[in-house]
Amino acid sequence: MAAMSTDSTGAAARNSPFVRACRREPVPHTPVWFMRQAGRSLPEYREIRANVAMLDSCRRPELVTEITLQPVRRHGVDAAILFSDIVVPVAAAGVDLDIVPGTGPVVAEPVRTAADVQRIRPIGRDDVPYVDEAVRLLVAELGGTPLIGFAGAPFTLASYLVEGGPSRTHAKTKALMHGDPELWHALCGRLADVTLEFLRVQVAAGVSAVQLFDSWAGALSEADYRRFVMPHSAKVLAGLGADVPRIHFGVGTGELLAAMGEAGADVVGVDWRTPLDVATRRIGPDKAVQGNLDPTLLFAPWPVIEAEVRRILGEGRAAPGHVFNLGHGVLPETDPDVLTRVVALVHEVSARPAERG
Ligand code: CP3
């Protein structure tokens, strides 16, 4: 595979079941990958990360490459996702933060004022050279398996910056949004610029698709989403253009699915709360969907999992394109063998030999 030229691996990735499903083209089987597929569910990940802090590991291209490849080798998923984190570009933009094990991102000085917003610098390729290098190494190693790049959406990033860390209620974030809309839009405008540049670096280095994670957008009403968040996410998605498919994902976004599609996605991520046939009616016929097995169901007996996978594949047929995934990330306690079995089952149940060409 290492012998394949960059052009031929790029062409193979563009013609892969994953990219074809994102583009609503016929596929030989429904493609599957898992959010957080590279991570603590894998013993080989825990071993390689044993003495390396999370943010440090994201800045070492060889380590990023190895961790990204682990789930591809083990599970036979249809796509790799770059090992990184949504706060990596924010740290590169000068914000003092860390990822605390068991907690998540923690920001030293939460954003409260216009001066705090000013301190978030624009970034370019030279602020994240390790991401550019890791993507290039991975595209060469993957030999035609598509690589998904990603970034955090402005709202989800803003929540970490304003709260100072993970929040259940997003109370300070909503207080800023409604109490000082001008400052809110200034903050999200800066974050949109950082996110767009971070994604552009990944696209220029060769990723085959990108996913914009607005994980916490489901905390908002549709009206607030459209007014305070959507314009900034739309700027990111429009800025990328349609060269690579754009997946737009959030949790608890049943009421926001149409708006998240309108923001400029090619594929809308759906959590387990909304069946995919219902989701596709809300999103419309011109976008694919991704999802949506409840990650906690991976702890249920196999016959339950099998029935759920079959149900989701059936409901996914209502959409013009379906990428199988979980409704949110793999939980660390998940048995990796169950994930491997799910991949095989999705491929088997969805195989369409007549369309193989
Ligand atoms: O496999 C993949 O999906 C790619 C890697 C990836 C990570 N973070 C690695 C990671 C991706 C896509 C992310 C995105 C991310 N990071 C999101 C959006 C996705 C989502 O889950 O909604 C969010 C909200 C974050 C912020 C963040 N970073 C959290 C909440 C945590 C977990 C904290 C904990 O310890 O439970 C992190 C740390 C993190 N990012 C880990 C991994 C594998 C765990 C840290 C470790 O392994 O030591």
Side-chain angles (χ1 to χ4, degrees):
M1 286 192 186
M4 277 173 101
S5 70
T6 313
D7 279 0
S8 62
T9 55
R14 273 195 300 282
N15 204 33
S16 64
F18 166 74
V19 172
R20 292 181 64 87
C22 289
R23 295 204 185 283
R24 294 172 280 122
E25 294 167 1
V27 286
H29 61 258
T30 301
V32 48
W33 69 280
F34 305 111
M35 291 182 275
R36 293 283 173 99
Q37 63 190 16
R40 285 171 292 183
S41 66
L42 301 185
E44 59 269 35
Y45 170 83
R46 295 196 296 268
E47 194 182 318
I48 204 171
R49 277 285 325 283
N51 295 307
V52 194
M54 178 64 196
L55 276 177
D56 292 338
S57 67
C58 298
R59 294 174 181 138
R60 288 168 51 177
E62 279 82 16
L63 200 57
V64 169
T65 302
E66 171 57 24
I67 294 174
T68 302
L69 291 172
Q70 285 176 348
V72 180
R73 286 188 204 117
R74 186 191 260 266
H75 303 309
V77 282
D78 292 276
I81 180 160
L82 179 71
F83 182 77
S84 186
D85 194 84
I86 57 168
V87 297
V88 165
V90 181
V95 176
D96 183 2
L97 58 82
D98 199 5
I99 298 178
V100 178
T103 300
V106 174
V107 178
E109 291 174 55
V111 170
R112 295 288 138 78
T113 65
D116 297 338
V117 171
Q118 294 282 322
R119 279 196 290 275
I120 304 171
R121 297 189 303 259
I123 64 163
R125 187 256 166 218
D126 292 343
D127 297 291
V128 286
Y130 39 84
V131 171
D132 173 72
E133 280 167 40
V135 170
R136 288 176 199 279
L137 286 171
L138 275 163
V139 170
E141 287 282 327
L142 280 162
T145 298
L147 176 65
I148 304 168
F150 76 92
F155 172 76
T156 291
L157 293 177
S159 170
Y160 283 110
L161 293 186
V162 174
E163 305 287 339
S167 166
R168 203 169 46 78
T169 60
H170 308 277
K172 295 190 183 78
T173 312
K174 292 184 187 181
L176 175 67
M177 178 187 279
H178 288 276
D180 192 343
E182 201 181 323
L183 183 58
W184 171 259
H185 286 297
L187 171 60
C188 287
R190 289 240 163 182
L191 292 172
D193 292 341
V194 168
T195 289
L196 178 55
E197 269 321 303
F198 189 59
L199 289 171
R200 279 183 172 148
V201 170
Q202 297 174 56
V203 171
V207 299
S208 294
V210 295
Q211 178 154 325
L212 188 64
F213 282 93
D214 210 351
S215 301
W216 313 140
L220 299 171
S221 69
E222 185 185 352
D224 284 355
Y225 178 80
R226 286 184 179 275
R227 178 169 164 213
F228 292 111
V229 173
M230 192 171 149
H232 303 290
S233 297
K235 181 169 132 186
V236 175
L237 293 166
L240 287 169
D243 288 353
V244 300
R246 297 154 294 188
I247 308 167
H248 197 186
F249 167 80
V251 183
T253 51
E255 299 297 323
L256 306 180
L257 290 170
M260 290 182 76
E262 281 170 48
D266 302 291
V267 184
V268 177
V270 183
D271 83 359
W272 60 91
R273 294 172 180 89
T274 314
L276 293 180
D277 51 346
V278 175
T280 208
R281 281 200 293 278
R282 293 181 185 176
I283 295 161
D286 60 341
K287 294 178 198 307
V289 295
Q290 176 173 279
N292 67 345
L293 180 66
D294 183 337
T296 66
L297 280 177
L298 295 171
F299 301 94
W302 177 253
V304 176
I305 300 173
E306 176 167 357
E308 282 293 285
V309 169
R310 288 178 184 276
R311 174 183 65 78
I312 289 163
L313 286 170
E315 289 164 357
R317 281 191 207 108
H322 177 207
V323 175
F324 193 98
N325 206 314
L326 305 180
H328 198 184
V330 175
L331 294 165
E333 306 79 19
T334 306
D335 176 353
D337 291 343
V338 174
L339 292 171
T340 308
R341 259 183 112 174
V342 168
V343 173
L345 180 65
V346 169
H347 287 168
E348 182 197 313
V349 172
S350 66
R352 282 156 229 154
E355 285 171 9
R356 229 180 273 271

